[in-house]
């Protein structure tokens, strides 16, 4: 039987024997895989080429949400080091939502693309040799209208299986798989991976993001925001940054996070503002919280399939923290050229020309290398040079507590297999203990060894230059304050809080070693 056109030329029904070329091989476009894997959505059976189905797993309990994603994209999850986007196949195909217990996820890989498809239940492996099938000709339409490439007719036509085309299903830009580069660099060793850099992580709603700290001018508590003619789209007003008027954008609105959450028109005092530079000038970006500072190599930024994201260019990839949470890494090179940010920053400078100062003017007369300090609270505000801090984490949910531990050592942190002593400076200085909700741990390096220091909170990031770091404070106070000042390593000027003491980690650790009687900070000797 010869192929026949049906349904006004939209389908071609074929018998099992495909036409062949002169060498007896079916043309590539006509070849049909022999083995399929089937699955079910309600009472409809679908199938995919078995060669693209890697495995079937349970639906993860937690998914990292994606801003600007279509409604059929549920989020991302970490599958043994590969970042996998999860697609709700029901929504993509326009099927009605319904509760399904124990939903599964089919992990599908085609070339460089890896995604997960939610299914109600698995079917079977189909060997279709000897079965007729109906091919659908290529046609335009919505994604749900074109992903079904044909039908399989089984059991003499009593069983119809719809064939999904992985190439059309993944009708998206393809990006490298996550693990390949990381594995290659792991084999080469860290000596070939370049220098580590710090990222600051923050939340703006349902999504946690990160940005290279080198591209953040300042981090501070949300300032007073004033109405302005510049309010539009994601911008909510302007603020006075030490004489410079800059526009302020809401990160949630800018990133297109539409999930239901408390109205972003209300900005509680706990909110933070990141100040970033664009080609048009400085812009303030409001976020809900600053979570941590992570240290990483470039190859630790994992790639993933950026499914139909209208602003996929904003996202460099993902980081995975020690809690296996997925964090979206933003691309500052794209942000600084973003047309909306650039244009608004330029208009702000035009509207407020007498009040604006360029970045160069703010640092006029400054010399020396740029330095970044992390400002934190331990009864009073102190700071650490970010170059000495490898990362900042939340207070661990669990700690190793060795026997005979020193009273000022809260325990040992198991940080990705590395054991780090956690020092509580409140106990070192004889200060009262406080509730540790929201407490942070700064991991810093001293003489080749890492230590953790417990702080009440991380308040801001201050950028300055070497010549603006003052010598030790000359004002001495009695009691506990005297002890703290004795560990003074200099002073910086915080735009929000004025003078802030830089903690001298050498002096601080000497104090700890002295309290430990010169013994290891991990434990006391057995009596």
């Amino acid at each position: 039987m010869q192929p026949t056109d049906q349904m006004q030329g939209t389908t071609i029904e074929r018998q099992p024997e495909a036409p062949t070329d002169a060498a007896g091989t079916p043309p590539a476009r006509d070849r049909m895989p022999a083995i399929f894997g089937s699955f079910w959505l309600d009472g409809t059976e679908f199938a995919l080429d078995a060669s693209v189905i890697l495995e079937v797993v349970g639906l993860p309990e937690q998914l990292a949400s994606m801003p600007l994603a279509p409604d059929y994209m549920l989020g991302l999850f970490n599958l043994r080091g590969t970042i996998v986007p999860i697609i709700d196949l029901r929504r993509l195909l326009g099927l009605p939502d319904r509760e399904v217990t124990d939903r599964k996820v089919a992990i599908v890989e085609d070339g460089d693309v890896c995604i997960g498809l939610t299914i109600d239940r698995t079917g079977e492996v189909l060997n279709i040799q000897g079965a007729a099938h109906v091919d659908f000709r290529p046609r335009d339409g919505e994604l749900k209208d074109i992903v079904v490439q044909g039908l399989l007719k089984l059991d003499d036509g009593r069983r119809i299986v719809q064939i999904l085309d992985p190439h059309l299903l993944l009708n998206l830009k393809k990006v490298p798989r996550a693990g390949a580069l990381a594995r290659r660099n792991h084999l080469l060793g860290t000596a070939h991976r370049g220098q580590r850099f710090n990222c600051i992580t923050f939340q703006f709603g349902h999504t946690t993001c990160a940005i290279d700290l080198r591209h953040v001018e300042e981090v501070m508590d949300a300032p007073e925001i004033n109405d302005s003619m510049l309010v539009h789209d994601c911008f909510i007003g302007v603020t006075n940054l030490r004489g410079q008027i800059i526009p302020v954008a809401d990160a949630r609105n800018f990133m297109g996070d539409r999930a239901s959450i408390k109205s972003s028109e209300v900005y509680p005092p706990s909110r933070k503002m990141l100040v970033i530079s664009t080609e048009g000038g400085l812009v303030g970006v409001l976020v809900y919280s600053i979570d941590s500072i992570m240290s990483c190599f470039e190859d630790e930024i994992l790639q993933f399939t950026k499914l139909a994201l209208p602003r996929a260019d904003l996202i460099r990839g993902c980081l995975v923290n020690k809690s296996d949470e997925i964090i979206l890494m933003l691309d500052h090179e794209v942000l600084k050229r973003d047309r909306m940010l650039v244009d608004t920053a330029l208009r702000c400078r035009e509207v407020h020309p007498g009040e604006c100062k360029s970045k160069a003017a703010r640092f006029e007369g400054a010399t020396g290398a740029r330095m970044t300090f992390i400002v934190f609270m331990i009864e009073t505000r102190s700071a650490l040079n970010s170059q000495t801090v490898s990362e900042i984490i939340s207070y661990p949910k669990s700690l190793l507590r060795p026997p005979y531990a020193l009273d000022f050592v809260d325990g040992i942190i198991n940080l990705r297999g590395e054991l780090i002593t956690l020092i509580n400076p409140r106990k070192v200085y004889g200060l009262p203990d406080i509730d540790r909700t929201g407490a942070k741990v700064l991991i810093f390096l001293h003489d080749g060894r890492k230590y953790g220091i417990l702080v009440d909170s991380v308040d801001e990031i201050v950028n300055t230059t070497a010549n603006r770091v003052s010598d030790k404070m000359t004002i001495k106070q009695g009691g506990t304050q005297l002890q703290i000042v004795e560990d003074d390593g200099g002073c910086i000027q915080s735009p929000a809080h004025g003078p802030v003491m830089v903690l001298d980690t050498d002096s601080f650790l000497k104090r700890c070693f002295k309290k430990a009687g010169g013994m290891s900070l991990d434990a006391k000797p057995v009596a």
Side-chain angles (χ1 to χ4, degrees), residues 99-367:
E99 290 293 330
V100 177
T101 58
D102 196 27
R103 277 205 296 178
K104 303 293 184 184
V105 177
I107 307 300
V108 177
E109 183 181 57
D110 179 40
D112 289 332
V113 177
C114 183
I115 67 169
L117 303 174
T118 61
I119 59 178
D120 291 354
R121 65 185 190 277
T122 57
E124 59 185 284
V125 176
L126 303 175
N127 188 330
I128 68 163
Q129 289 186 357
H133 65 276
V134 176
D135 287 343
F136 293 171
R137 290 185 184 276
R139 60 194 186 281
D140 296 328
E142 296 182 23
L143 191 56
K144 67 183 182 65
D145 298 321
I146 65 175
V147 295
V148 179
Q149 71 176 48
L151 304 174
L152 288 175
K153 292 184 175 182
L154 306 174
D155 300 336
D156 296 325
R158 295 188 299 273
R159 179 182 178 187
I160 301 297
V161 181
Q162 298 188 41
I163 305 170
L164 298 181
D165 186 335
H167 301 284
L168 294 177
L169 188 63
L170 305 172
N171 185 24
L172 309 158
K173 180 180 178 181
K174 297 184 178 183
V175 296
R177 280 289 307 277
L181 180 60
R183 285 193 296 269
R184 183 165 64 249
N185 281 297
H186 177 72
L187 294 174
L188 291 174
T190 58
H192 299 277
R193 300 173 70 181
Q195 290 186 339
R196 278 189 175 272
F197 62 94
N198 287 334
C199 299
I200 186 168
T201 70
F202 57 90
Q203 293 187 33
F204 57 78
H206 293 283
T207 304
T208 302
C209 290
I211 188 170
D212 190 335
L213 189 54
R214 293 171 294 186
H215 301 304
V216 177
E217 298 298 322
E218 294 184 32
V219 179
M220 63 183 67
D221 290 332
E224 180 182 357
I225 299 170
N226 302 310
D227 290 334
S228 168
M229 61 181 293
L230 300 172
V231 173
H232 68 98
D233 296 321
C234 66
F235 285 92
I236 58 174
V238 297
T239 192
N240 189 324
L241 185 67
R242 298 182 303 282
Q244 181 178 7
I245 304 301
I246 67 171
V248 179
D250 185 283
R252 174 173 159 81
N253 293 337
F254 175 69
M255 295 299 293
D257 186 350
R258 304 299 182 218
S260 177
I261 200 171
K262 183 179 178 181
S263 173
S264 60
E265 294 179 0
V266 179
Y267 305 101
S270 60
R271 290 193 70 170
K272 301 290 184 180
M273 185 175 79
L274 280 66
V275 180
I276 63 173
S277 59
T278 74
E279 291 182 351
L282 296 180
V283 170
V285 180
L286 277 185
V287 300
Y288 278 86
S289 65
I290 300 297
D291 290 346
S292 66
I293 292 179
M294 296 177 62
S295 180
C296 64
F297 290 108
E298 284 288 343
D299 63 77
E300 291 176 317
I301 302 174
L302 305 179
Q303 300 300 315
F304 65 96
T305 304
K306 299 174 184 176
L307 287 168
L309 296 179
R311 290 304 309 269
D313 56 330
L314 289 174
I315 301 171
R316 291 179 61 191
C318 293
L319 295 171
V320 180
N321 67 12
K322 68 181 185 68
S323 300
D324 206 33
E325 296 171 330
I326 296 173
I327 299 167
L328 300 180
M329 183 71 180
L330 302 183
D331 191 333
H332 179 263
E333 291 301 315
V334 175
L335 282 174
K336 75 177 186 180
R337 293 191 296 270
D338 182 85
R339 184 46 51 195
M340 181 167 56
L341 299 183
V342 170
D343 287 349
T344 305
L346 286 172
R347 285 202 299 274
C348 186
R349 294 169 63 181
E350 293 171 356
V351 172
H352 305 280
E355 299 171 275
C356 285
K357 298 179 183 179
S358 67
K359 181 179 176 182
R362 287 190 290 121
F363 286 97
E364 185 177 1
T367 59

Side-chain angles (χ1 to χ4, degrees), residues 1 4 35 90 96 138 176 245 267 288-289 315 333 335 346 375 387 427 429 493 516:
M1 179 176 178
T4 58
I35 307 296
R90 281 180 168 275
I245 304 301
Y267 305 101
Y288 278 86
S289 65
I315 301 171
E333 291 301 315
L335 282 174
L346 286 172
V375 178
Q387 289 187 340
K427 294 181 178 178
Y429 293 125
Q493 191 72 20

Side-chain angles (χ1 to χ4, degrees), residues 85 470 495 515:
S470 305
K515 288 179 70 71

